[in-house]
Amino acid sequence: MIPEPALADDLAGLAPLIAARLAPDAHGDMARWQAALAALPDLTPERVDLGATVTVDGPADDAARNTLAEALMGLHPWRKGPFSLFGIHVDTEWRSDWKWARIAPHLAPLDGHRVLDVGCGNGYFGWRMLEAGARTVVGVDPTLVFCLQHRAVTRYLGGAANQVLPVRFEELPPAGFDSVFSLGVIYHRRDPMEHAERLFRHVRPGGQLVLESLVVDGDASLEPAGRYARMRNVWTVPSVAALTGWLAAAGFEAVTAVDVTPTTVAEQHTTAWMRFQSLTEALDPANPAMTVEGHPAPVRAVVTARRPGAA
Ligand SMILES: C[S@@+](CC[C@H](N)C(=O)[O-])C[C@H]1O[C@@H](n2cnc3c(N)ncnc32)[C@H](O)[C@@H]1O
């Protein structure tokens, strides 16, 4: 087993929940995933790069690389990345480095920050936050296979500074974070205002929030009656004004939309490491400006904000 990194004192109460979530009978695929983790070869990291492709490298012969690739593939689907582990390029569904490139220029410096990443997936952005100066990152995501992907990566990168906890945001006890990120989550929430208010409670006074969401053009938010871009669990795709309004109503100040960018099939697509359908199949082939359901195609906004108060 890959050792569990120690929890910070104010999160120590989560230990039983985390143990239960990762128990052998917690999920029908858990035994297979744990077998994949156990099959990761012993390799010695000699070079780490937390840049666009999160990379760890060192000596590895072909046999070790094949074993590594097979073990990592056992944790399919790899959605967030890219990663490169001992020469194995994990070509993920998303070019998450593109999202980070839209966020990073607008950040208040993360130097020394304790960061929370809500809905962190496999922890890709946590590595980028460490690269940007964060002291520690706590990510929360209830999707177990993403948590186990993170454990595969930490086998070589170490997991103390960038943790991915298999818990829901709503289960996280109040803890003061210098910076809180919620990327690609709020449109999945039935009650987005509740999410905004919860984010507020987790940012320390004077701290920053970075929120990224699908948005629609114009003044009216979209509440899709059925699916949106083939996703079942999209409740509200806000206008930029609605999104910034939620954050202001939750108590944030200096709420600013710093980037609005359409999502392209170059940024999100099927790969060998994520073999399911992706954005291409969610767009109307006759008019890729629309989804197959007849909604506007995905556009994403990044909003920054601050919780009032002294640092
Ligand atoms: C669209 S993905 C976004 C992933 C990543 N933050 C990004 O921007 O690429 C949404 C993530 O939120 C996670 N999620 C769903 N419900 C959650 C909850 N209640 N608390 C925390 N994360 C949740 C999902 O498992 C999924 O990984």
Side-chain angles (χ1 to χ4, degrees):
M1 277 290 284
I2 296 163
E4 284 296 322
L7 294 165
D9 288 349
D10 53 3
L11 301 178
L14 290 171
L17 179 63
I18 293 171
R21 292 268 158 83
L22 297 175
D25 58 354
H27 190 284
D29 288 322
M30 186 59 85
R32 187 169 63 75
W33 292 331
Q34 292 292 2
L37 287 181
L40 289 168
D42 282 329
L43 295 168
T44 306
E46 288 186 349
R47 190 176 71 83
V48 166
D49 180 350
L50 301 182
T53 299
V54 171
T55 300
V56 56
D57 218 343
D61 60 21
D62 286 349
R65 264 201 295 273
N66 287 341
T67 305
L68 175 61
E70 202 175 314
L72 294 171
M73 200 54 102
L75 299 171
H76 176 273
W78 286 80
R79 293 190 182 275
K80 312 300 174 178
F83 294 91
S84 176
L85 306 176
F86 296 91
I88 303 300
H89 183 73
V90 182
D91 182 17
T92 48
E93 177 188 19
W94 282 87
R95 289 296 305 265
S96 307
D97 51 321
W98 294 9
K99 183 182 288 196
W100 187 249
R102 295 194 290 270
I103 293 171
H106 308 288
L107 288 175
L110 294 184
D111 296 325
H113 278 201
R114 183 187 193 207
V115 176
L116 172 65
D117 185 7
V118 176
C120 63
N122 64 21
Y124 170 83
F125 291 109
W127 302 114
R128 308 306 308 279
M129 293 166 194
L130 293 181
E131 179 198 35
R135 179 171 50 87
T136 55
V137 181
V138 174
V140 290
D141 201 301
T143 303
L144 294 174
V145 69
F146 302 153
C147 300
L148 296 173
Q149 288 171 3
H150 176 72
R151 274 161 179 69
V153 174
T154 60
R155 164 76 188 266
Y156 304 112
L157 273 170
N162 178 23
Q163 298 188 328
V164 171
L165 309 181
V167 302
R168 295 187 184 88
F169 183 30
E170 300 72 31
E171 295 165 335
L172 195 68
F177 290 93
D178 303 302
S179 290
V180 174
F181 291 73
S182 168
L183 312 179
V185 174
I186 198 163
Y187 50 85
H188 287 310
R189 304 306 303 163
R190 242 180 236 259
D191 183 350
M193 196 58 220
E194 192 276 337
H195 186 70
E197 287 166 349
R198 188 176 294 278
L199 290 167
F200 185 86
R201 293 197 293 277
H202 283 271
V203 180
R204 64 143 169 87
Q208 76 175 326
L209 173 75
V210 180
L211 188 133
E212 192 253 11
S213 178
L214 286 168
V215 291
V216 283
D217 203 12
D219 294 332
S221 297
L222 170 69
E223 292 183 11
R227 296 185 180 209
Y228 174 82
R230 289 186 179 265
M231 290 181 280
R232 223 167 311 176
N233 53 353
V234 174
W235 298 97
T236 309
V237 184
S239 65
V240 173
L243 187 60
T244 54
W246 291 338
L247 296 185
F252 288 102
E253 63 183 17
V255 180
T256 312
V258 295
D259 184 86
V260 178
T261 300
T263 306
T264 65
V265 295
E267 181 170 354
Q268 185 192 11
H269 55 259
T270 302
T271 71
W273 292 83
M274 204 303 289
R275 299 184 298 274
F276 303 143
Q277 292 188 340
S278 185
L279 182 59
T280 304
E281 293 77 21
L283 299 179
D284 179 348
N287 178 10
M290 305 299 280
T291 69
V292 287
E293 302 87 6
H295 301 305
V299 173
R300 293 174 171 265
V302 177
V303 178
T304 58
R306 192 171 53 233
R307 176 170 169 164

